Amino acid sequence: MSFYGKTFIYDNTPSEVYGLYILDFETSGGYNESEAGSVVEPIEEWVYRRSKSYHYGNIMNTPLEFDLSVGSYDPIPGFDRGKISQWLLGRGNFKKLQICEDDISNVYFNAICTSAKTLYVGNVNRGLKLHFRCDSPWAWEYPKTITYTFTGDQIRNFYFDFYNSSDSNEYLYPIVDFTLNNIGNSISIENTTTGEPPFIFSGISPNEHIIVDNSLKTIVSSTGLLRLNYFNKKWLRFIEGNNRIHVIAAIKELKLTYSFARKIGA
């Protein structure tokens, strides 16, 4: 994959800290190739005496992988190479990788560096060729949050529209963060576009603050109590395009946090 940014940030550390920049040690002409996004694998079945398959849908479960060549304008000393390897390699989990390029400044790759090769120019070490593997076929937009704040102890009954512009055609599961007011003991959030049963908590406490990660299926309450039995287990999700959302609750605040998948062709 070819990037046209000058620098990058990995695990919140800018590459300039180590004097590293994105370089291309190999290009000698105007042609290069790059990954355009994720790989689609059709799910199909072929049967005897039928020349056309039964198509059941597609899956996109091949993680994005790419090489990134980085280097320094000065020779890289051995001590610095050790620090760079410690920063990039052998990490215990996926970390955010952001390419400092204007047209993709709002996205990051959730990636882990799996290997590195040293690059020499005139027998002097001036760079590394890094191989990154992502945790998905996508890059991700940095999370955004929609916030609704209310004053007074009233039951709120309102609608709003959410437009899901994600490049993934799968469901989008937001994080729902809400705080009840002094008379609140329940909340209902319904995606009327899909017609699915609403997301409901009932029998909870006034002023309680609850955070629900609908993707990870986790619930955290400010009371410290387990609240799964107070939830109808209808996790909120959005389809592609516009979603009409209906909320009924006596709340002080409601937040929905989400991150769109993005296909990045460098």
Side-chain angles (χ1 to χ4, degrees), residues 158-161 189-198 236-239 242-247:
F158 64 98
Y159 291 82
F160 66 91
D161 290 314
I189 306 176
E190 181 183 5
N191 188 342
T192 63
T193 302
T194 64
E196 296 176 331
L236 183 64
R237 60 189 186 180
F238 302 132
I239 59 172
N242 194 60
N243 294 258
R244 184 72 168 165
I245 309 302
H246 183 202
V247 180

Side-chain angles (χ1 to χ4, degrees), residues 24-67:
D24 191 343
F25 291 89
E26 301 173 355
T27 301
S28 57
Y31 173 81
N32 60 66
E33 295 181 351
S34 66
E35 295 291 338
S38 51
V39 177
V40 177
E41 180 182 348
I43 303 301
E44 56 187 351
E45 181 180 4
W46 293 87
V47 298
Y48 183 61
R49 293 186 180 278
R50 178 180 167 87
S51 59
K52 183 179 180 180
S53 68
Y54 291 102
H55 181 234
Y56 301 120
N58 302 321
I59 58 173
M60 304 177 74
N61 59 359
T62 302
L64 183 63
E65 298 188 53
F66 55 86
D67 291 326

Side-chain angles (χ1 to χ4, degrees), residues 1-8 15 18-27 32 67-76 99 119-121 125-130:
M1 179 177 284
S2 298
F3 291 106
Y4 300 102
K6 185 178 180 182
T7 59
F8 66 99
S15 61
Y18 297 97
L20 292 179
Y21 301 88
I22 299 173
L23 302 174
D24 191 343
F25 291 89
E26 301 173 355
T27 301
N32 60 66
D67 291 326
L68 185 67
S69 294
V70 302
S72 172
Y73 298 113
D74 300 310
I76 304 174
I99 306 300
L119 301 174
Y120 288 85
V121 177
N125 179 222
R126 291 185 179 272
L128 296 164
K129 186 174 184 179
L130 309 170

Side-chain angles (χ1 to χ4, degrees), residues 95-113:
K95 305 294 183 181
K96 287 184 173 64
L97 170 66
Q98 179 184 344
I99 306 300
C100 300
E101 183 177 328
D102 289 345
D103 61 345
I104 56 172
S105 61
N106 63 328
V107 303
Y108 67 91
F109 300 93
N110 209 32
I112 190 166
C113 184

Side-chain angles (χ1 to χ4, degrees), residues 159-171:
Y159 291 82
F160 66 91
D161 290 314
F162 177 86
Y163 192 83
N164 176 12
S165 68
S166 177
D167 289 338
S168 170
N169 57 11
E170 298 176 352
Y171 288 110

Side-chain angles (χ1 to χ4, degrees), residues 198-216:
F199 165 110
I200 295 176
F201 277 86
S202 57
I204 51 181
S205 303
N207 297 305
E208 187 167 350
H209 177 205
I210 291 180
I211 301 174
V212 181
D213 189 321
N214 289 278
S215 177
L216 297 178

